[in-house]
């Protein structure tokens, strides 16, 4: 049985620290300044025998307008309504504040299962705040320390009866459901066929969704685009630049394809990043790029291909990810045909290492172009996983070297004898050659471009390694055998 637990409370009461403790990893950004968390982050928690979904939320602010704080509050209130259990945290060292009292009253009305916990309650410093928490009328508060792991047994003791209650409700629902003889497909359990499935099967499934990271400069529309893809206002958006801080991953099914989409913080030039929290946010986004399979570099149609856009795209290529370039806010562009031609020319000129990568125009606000973006991502993922047979490669290599023979530095003709693909994701090839250290970079580019054209590998990073295949004397380096007395006698 699994259930959803939402952690809520004022800013800086330790929600993200407790979230990281429950999931067993440092997924959420943590800092001393209040208001670090803005979006909802979900994770799979483990607490004793319990397995459940835990939700880290933004700090509850006393704001009901359309300001950033007001939008954050509405997002948190929605998480409270959708959760099965709400864990309301207060800061035991500060005690109960008037804001805590207001939100305690809200939680009583919104969620049937509210657990009150006094966090940062280690030592005598938190004793007074823990006693004050009794006055909120939410039952006996739990003394917790998310940072040091204290009070986890008490939290388990409160959650266990609720988990059993949810499990009983599920059993009753299943017993009352009508019988059916319709095959409902996958049951969610592994079968022998699943276990024997070949590892080369790279196609996305529910258990292995396609990992997509959306990256770009601040205010390019990354969160708005992801909200449009998943079909709900799941991520915080607005006119302010730099709203997103954490790299949030959201599983969904997009036009029949199981995907997990990562929203990342906007990446500015390194020289402009002076705030510690922004450095943590950018590092979190870079980690999402390394975990992704396809990276969508989102550009602003009004200012495309700025220096930072080029750096971000180059980073994705160096990390070996499949890259799709999407130009957002296309609905605001006047002369679209001429503008698109100019974008394509700039793309080929400024990013030659991504030659052939798809360039898609979209509007995250209206949803136009999302079907083309989906098709481009699926195609880029397929190319990223493509494998070419050794026989095809060697026939191709023979034709390439006959059409344009390798150079002969110092009068020594370089011979390329054999080629094979050693891995995918991205495609990597090894060429066995004589004098590989003398092969110029221009000839390597000639081979890489030939691979793209011959095997439809446009847009994906290609790794080409040259290794020495020269004939070696097997006895080179061995010590000469010393003659025995018999050898000397026979020779004499």
């Amino acid at each position: 049985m699994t259930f959803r637990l939402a952690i809520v409370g004022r800013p800086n009461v330790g929600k993200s620290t407790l979230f990281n403790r429950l999931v067993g990893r440092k997924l959420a950004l943590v800092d001393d300044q209040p208001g670090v968390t803005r979006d909802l982050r979900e994770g799979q928690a483990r607490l004793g025998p319990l397995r459940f979904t835990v939700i880290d939320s933004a700090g509850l602010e006393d704001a009901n307008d359309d300001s950033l704080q007001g939008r954050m509050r509405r997002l948190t209130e929605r998480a409270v309504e959708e959760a099965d259990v709400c864990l309301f945290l207060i800061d035991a060292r500060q005690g109960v504040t008037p804001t805590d009292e207001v939100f305690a009253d809200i939680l009583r009305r919104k969620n049937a299962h509210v657990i009150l916990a006094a966090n940062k309650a280690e030592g005598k410093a938190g004793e007074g705040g823990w006693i004050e928490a009794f006055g909120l009328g939410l039952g006996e508060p739990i003394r917790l320390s998310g940072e040091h792991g204290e009070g986890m047994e008490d939290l388990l003791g409160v959650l266990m009866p609720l988990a059993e209650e949810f499990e009983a409700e599920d059993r009753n629902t299943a017993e009352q459901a009508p019988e059916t003889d319709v095959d409902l497909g996958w049951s969610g359990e592994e079968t022998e066929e699943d276990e024997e499935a070949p590892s080369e099967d790279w196609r996305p499934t529910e258990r292995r969704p396609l990992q997509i990271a959306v990256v770009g400069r601040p205010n390019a529309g990354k969160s708005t685009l992801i909200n449009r893809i998943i079909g709900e206002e799941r991520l915080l958006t607005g006119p302010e630049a730099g709203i997103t801080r954490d790299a949030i991953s959201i599983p969904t099914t997009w036009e029949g394809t199981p995907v997990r989409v990562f929203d990342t913080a906007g990446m500015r030039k390194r020289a402009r990043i002076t705030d510690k929290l922004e450095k943590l946010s950018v590092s979190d986004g870079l980690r999402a790029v390394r975990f992704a399979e396809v990276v969508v570099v989102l550009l602003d149609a009004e200012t495309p291909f700025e220096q930072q856009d080029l750096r971000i795209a180059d980073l994705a290529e160096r990390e070996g990810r499949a890259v799709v370039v999407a130009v957002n806010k296309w609905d605001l562009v006047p002369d679209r045909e001429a503008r698109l031609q100019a974008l394509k020319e700039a793309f080929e000129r400024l990013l030659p290492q991504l030659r052939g990568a798809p360039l898609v125009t979209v509007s995250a606000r209206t949803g136009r172009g999302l079907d083309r973006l989906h098709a481009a991502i699926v195609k880029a993922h397929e190319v990223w996983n493509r494998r070419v047979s050794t026989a095809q490669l060697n026939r191709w290599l023979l034709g390439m070297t006959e059409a344009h023979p390798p150079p002969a530095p110092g009068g020594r003709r370089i011979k390329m004898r054999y080629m094979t693909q050693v891995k995918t994701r991205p495609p990597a090839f090894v060429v066995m050659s004589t004098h590989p250290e003398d092969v110029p970079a221009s000839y390597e580019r000639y081979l890489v471009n030939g691979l793209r054209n011959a095997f439809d590998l446009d847009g994906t990073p290609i790794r080409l390694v040259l290794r020495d295949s020269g004939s070696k004397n097997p006895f080179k380096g061995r010590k000469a055998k010393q003659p025995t007395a018999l050898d000397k006698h026979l020779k004499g």
Side-chain angles (χ1 to χ4, degrees), residues 199-205 207-215 257-262 285-297 315-317 319-324 354 376-385 424-427 459-461:
S199 60
E200 289 294 322
D201 188 6
W202 47 266
R203 290 169 181 78
T205 63
R207 288 184 295 167
R208 289 185 318 221
L210 172 55
Q211 310 271 358
I212 305 170
V214 182
V215 299
T257 306
V259 299
R260 180 177 289 275
V261 190
F262 290 82
L286 296 178
R287 189 166 66 249
V289 169
R290 296 185 182 102
F291 276 104
E293 297 170 311
V294 180
V295 174
V296 177
V297 181
L315 166 71
E317 193 276 337
E319 289 293 336
R321 308 300 99 181
V323 178
V324 174
L354 291 174
I377 290 173
V378 171
K379 176 67 184 301
H381 184 246
E382 185 270 325
V383 173
W384 192 60
N385 285 275
T424 59
R425 305 164 69 88
T460 194

Side-chain angles (χ1 to χ4, degrees), residues 22-40:
L22 291 173
V23 299
R25 291 184 293 166
K26 292 184 179 180
L27 292 182
L29 293 182
V30 176
D31 196 68
D32 291 336
Q33 62 177 287
V36 173
T37 302
R38 289 175 173 173
D39 288 297
L40 302 178

Side-chain angles (χ1 to χ4, degrees), residues 121-353:
E122 65 273 17
K124 293 183 179 180
E127 182 122 12
W130 173 69
I131 294 173
E132 286 182 22
F134 281 87
L136 292 174
L138 292 172
E140 181 178 351
I142 303 172
R143 294 190 66 166
L144 287 181
S145 173
E147 185 172 358
H148 301 288
E150 297 179 10
M152 294 297 111
E153 298 85 357
D154 296 333
L155 179 59
L156 175 61
V158 176
L159 287 176
M160 189 65 81
L162 294 175
E164 293 172 355
E165 179 184 334
F166 297 140
E167 189 173 0
E169 291 176 359
D170 283 354
R171 279 199 301 267
N172 292 335
T173 303
E175 290 172 0
Q176 296 172 7
E179 294 184 3
T180 176
D181 58 356
V182 178
D183 182 10
L184 298 178
W186 180 61
S187 63
E189 299 179 355
E190 292 188 10
T191 64
E192 292 182 3
E193 293 181 359
D194 292 331
E195 293 175 356
E196 295 174 359
S199 60
E200 289 294 322
D201 188 6
W202 47 266
R203 290 169 181 78
T205 63
E206 292 292 338
R207 288 184 295 167
R208 289 185 318 221
L210 172 55
Q211 310 271 358
I212 305 170
V214 182
V215 299
R217 287 182 288 119
N219 217 24
K222 299 180 291 296
S223 299
T224 306
L225 176 66
I226 295 175
N227 282 342
R228 178 65 64 173
I229 289 173
I230 64 179
E232 61 174 299
E233 294 298 315
R234 172 68 170 73
L235 299 171
L236 196 63
T237 61
E240 303 92 346
I243 290 179
T244 302
R245 284 175 172 168
D246 290 82
I248 305 293
S249 67
I250 303 174
T252 188
T253 300
W254 183 15
E255 296 190 11
T257 306
V259 299
R260 180 177 289 275
V261 190
F262 290 82
D263 185 24
T264 61
M267 300 181 186
R268 298 193 299 164
K269 293 181 180 179
R270 183 179 299 179
R272 295 183 180 178
I273 301 175
T274 57
D275 182 60
K276 172 191 171 186
L277 183 57
E278 186 174 359
K279 290 180 181 178
L280 292 173
S281 299
V282 172
S283 298
D284 207 27
L286 296 178
R287 189 166 66 249
V289 169
R290 296 185 182 102
F291 276 104
E293 297 170 311
V294 180
V295 174
V296 177
V297 181
L298 195 64
L299 311 181
D300 189 328
E302 297 180 0
T303 55
F305 293 117
E306 290 200 348
Q307 195 65 35
Q308 186 64 1
D309 294 324
L310 304 180
R311 288 194 183 100
I312 294 171
D314 183 63
L315 166 71
E317 193 276 337
R318 283 188 282 110
E319 289 293 336
R321 308 300 99 181
V323 178
V324 174
V325 178
V327 184
N328 191 26
K329 306 178 185 179
W330 195 245
D331 54 315
L332 304 178
V333 174
D335 190 1
R336 296 178 185 172
E337 190 171 340
R339 190 68 173 276
L340 181 59
Q341 187 61 34
L343 284 173
K344 289 180 178 179
E345 292 175 358
F347 185 22
E348 293 178 2
R349 175 170 45 86
L350 298 172
L351 290 170
Q353 67 272 38

Side-chain angles (χ1 to χ4, degrees), residues 44-91:
Q44 297 306 309
R46 301 166 64 95
L47 187 60
L50 292 183
R51 304 291 182 269
F52 55 94
T53 301
V54 61
I55 305 169
D56 185 22
S57 63
L60 286 164
E61 302 270 8
D62 193 8
N64 291 302
D65 54 10
D66 286 330
S67 64
L68 179 59
Q69 288 74 20
R71 300 198 302 274
M72 289 163 59
R73 173 172 172 169
R74 286 195 293 272
L75 201 61
T76 299
E77 288 179 348
R78 194 181 75 180
V80 170
E81 293 172 351
E82 294 176 354
D84 299 305
V85 184
C86 182
L87 180 60
F88 180 38
L89 288 191
I90 69 161
D91 188 334

